[in-house]
Amino acid sequence: MSGIDGLGDLGGKRVLVRSDLNVPLEAGADGRRRITDDGRIRASVPTIRQLSEAGAKVIVLAHLGRPEGEPDSAYSLEPVAERLGELLGAPVAFATDTVGESAQSTASGLRDGQVALLENVRFNAGETSKDDAERGAFADQLAALADAFVSDGFGVVHRKQASVYDVAQRLPHAMGGLVSTEIDVLRRLTEDPERPYVVVLGGSKVSDKLAVIDNLLGKADKLLVGGGMLFTFLVAQGHPVGRSLLEEDQIDTCTEYLQWAADSGVELVLPTDIVIASEFPSSSGSTSEPSVVPADAIPDDKLGLDIGPESAEAFAAALAGARTVFWNGPMGVFEFDAFSAGTRAVAQALTEVSTSGGLSVVGGGDSAAAVRKLGFDESAFGHISTGGGASLEYLEGKNLPGIDVLED
Ligand code: ADP
Ligand code: MG
């Protein structure tokens, strides 16, 4: 599959690039929206810069949040255009629509090497439509803006959407460097990983991660389970979990995983202690004083919000010496300091795997946000995947439409 070089001389050409700029925003006191984590924008810069340096007129396509197929100022990409400009070190023109007059005049006003960002593609019903014709009609309008298409939004390549899939069928196309790096890393996790290979799973739900467990349990040497999903495993082992997150309908599945691990010799490591509190933390309300209990003794009126210190140490020890690690899902409610220690310990252990020459991969939007929030340097990890859903679907063994479409 050819990279950007395969598109030939891009000097003076208009190139549409689909990036993933779906960053979290928060309204400030002055009512203006601020980007709280610009990781995805920074990850998108190298490809945009590469196209710009090749002399292309670069037209960036992206989405933000889930607007309902029509303009909604709460999901405008305007603040993202500003931040992208800061990171590129050159102003980014912003079009206030995606394929309308503003997009057309912005695109035609670009000089060689200049960059524009079009308004949220999801302000157009055609973007996410299940109807091929409706999506295709929108893709026709997108394609009319440019001479070539570069797919670099790894976070959306599992979506059959107009700006990801249909537009690639209408223009000469190439895979951007971010997408190809992501695919290379994921391939290393699934095809012949260096051993020991440790998978760490956490986050909120077992049900979100079932297919990944299915696919990786047979490949990994150890599986460490933390986060909200651990409680369903504890119940499967017969322990009480109080008011902790529990997916009743997944208890049987967890029982099967425990059995499978025992039969296949995969070491499945569950926490032995848990940080509990009386209520789920909230940024406004009172957070009850956390305490630590054994994992088999969570009181009825409490809920587990992080793995305990003994478990954090055991997880770090299980990761020491690993040559390949895939981590998806925070170990606790890391958004609150009182429940972030488990996540911190796992992140720290991954950086040590990298230092000693192993491959450490962080996947998942919240996990990536967690390592940044906890102050880790991104370069301390082998790879931080920008696409939660897309990397999980790849690891599940599914075909990604946005990748397949680039293959012809
Ligand atoms: P990712 O985006 O990395 O795939 P998920 O979306 O699966 O991760 O899960 C992230 C969320 O899981 C975080 O918001 C975190 O607060 C939550 N979480 C972690 N541990 C718990 C827990 N014990 N109880 C409830 N929620 C939890
Ligand atoms: Mg998430």
Side-chain angles (χ1 to χ4, degrees):
M1 199 179 311
S2 67
I4 288 172
D5 292 346
L7 292 172
D9 181 8
L10 291 176
K13 291 220 182 114
R14 295 167 305 158
V15 178
L16 271 180
V17 53
R18 176 57 157 107
S19 299
D20 177 10
L21 306 177
N22 188 27
V23 290
L25 292 158
E26 174 179 281
D30 57 2
R32 285 191 60 193
R33 290 176 313 140
R34 274 190 204 81
I35 296 162
T36 54
D37 178 19
D38 66 359
R40 283 182 169 156
I41 309 180
R42 278 183 289 117
S44 302
V45 162
T47 296
I48 295 171
R49 181 173 283 141
Q50 184 189 358
L51 292 167
S52 160
E53 285 173 355
K57 298 166 173 165
V58 188
I59 306 163
V60 184
L61 294 175
H63 76 282
L64 185 71
R66 292 176 182 265
E68 306 278 312
E70 54 185 61
D72 178 343
S73 59
Y75 297 105
S76 172
L77 278 168
E78 198 165 4
V80 173
E82 199 179 312
R83 184 79 189 111
L84 179 60
E86 286 165 15
L87 292 166
L88 282 167
V92 168
F94 180 68
T96 55
D97 57 35
T98 323
V99 290
E101 264 172 44
S102 176
Q104 289 168 22
S105 65
T106 304
S108 60
L110 287 176
R111 288 194 307 270
D112 296 359
Q114 282 189 329
V115 178
L117 173 63
L118 307 184
E119 184 57 286
N120 197 335
V121 285
R122 292 192 186 165
F123 285 2
N124 307 271
E127 170 65 4
T128 58
S129 174
K130 295 278 175 265
D131 177 45
D132 290 350
E134 192 185 8
R135 251 188 7 259
F138 179 52
D140 285 339
Q141 292 178 293
L142 290 172
L145 295 169
D147 307 304
F149 173 70
V150 172
S151 178
D152 205 40
F154 182 69
V156 286
V157 291
H158 58 315
R159 306 279 187 210
K160 195 174 180 182
Q161 296 178 343
S163 69
V164 179
Y165 179 83
D166 305 80
V167 73
Q169 295 180 315
R170 289 164 167 77
L171 288 171
H173 50 256
M175 187 185 274
L178 177 60
V179 170
S180 66
T181 303
E182 295 268 11
I183 295 289
D184 285 348
V185 169
L186 292 172
R187 198 169 282 146
R188 283 172 69 189
L189 294 178
T190 45
E191 293 168 13
D192 200 21
E194 229 190 302
R195 297 186 180 281
Y197 179 14
V198 184
V199 172
V200 189
L201 291 176
S204 38
K205 290 186 181 162
V206 189
S207 52
D208 286 350
K209 313 278 159 98
L210 287 177
V212 187
I213 306 178
D214 283 343
N215 202 28
L216 293 185
L217 193 56
K219 298 195 169 78
D221 301 300
K222 292 180 198 174
L223 175 64
L224 317 185
V225 177
M229 64 192 276
L230 80 88
F231 303 101
T232 308
F233 279 90
L234 290 181
V235 169
Q237 288 183 320
H239 304 310
V241 295
R243 290 161 45 233
S244 307
L245 201 67
L246 172 66
E247 285 175 281
E248 305 258 8
D249 56 345
Q250 301 299 336
I251 298 171
D252 290 345
T253 314
C254 289
T255 307
E256 285 168 26
Y257 287 138
L258 290 166
Q259 191 55 49
W260 181 11
D263 294 345
S264 64
V266 172
E267 199 183 325
L268 200 158
V269 184
L270 285 165
T272 50
D273 59 348
I274 304 287
V275 180
I276 55 164
S278 304
E279 57 198 288
F280 199 87
S282 79
S283 44
S284 52
S286 61
T287 302
S288 61
E289 202 54 39
S291 57
V292 177
V293 295
D296 58 1
I298 299 173
D300 285 350
D301 59 339
K302 304 285 188 192
L303 65 171
L305 297 167
D306 194 9
I307 61 172
E310 181 183 280
S311 310
E313 216 169 286
F315 279 26
L319 284 161
R323 297 297 298 171
T324 308
V325 182
F326 175 68
W327 171 34
N328 171 261
M331 296 293 101
V333 185
F334 73 92
E335 292 91 340
F336 296 85
D337 289 344
F339 310 108
S340 66
T343 302
R344 182 184 297 282
V346 165
Q348 180 63 36
L350 259 78
T351 66
E352 284 157 24
V353 168
S354 291
T355 310
S356 49
L359 172 67
S360 66
V361 179
V362 183
D366 290 294
S367 310
V371 303
R372 289 190 284 263
K373 178 177 186 291
L374 296 175
F376 287 91
D377 188 341
E378 287 179 48
S379 63
F381 301 89
H383 183 68
I384 299 184
S385 179
T386 49
S391 45
L392 295 183
E393 290 199 12
Y394 183 95
L395 294 173
E396 287 164 19
K398 287 193 189 149
N399 287 333
L400 306 178
I403 300 296
D404 291 348
V405 73
L406 302 176
E407 254 146 29
D408 44 71

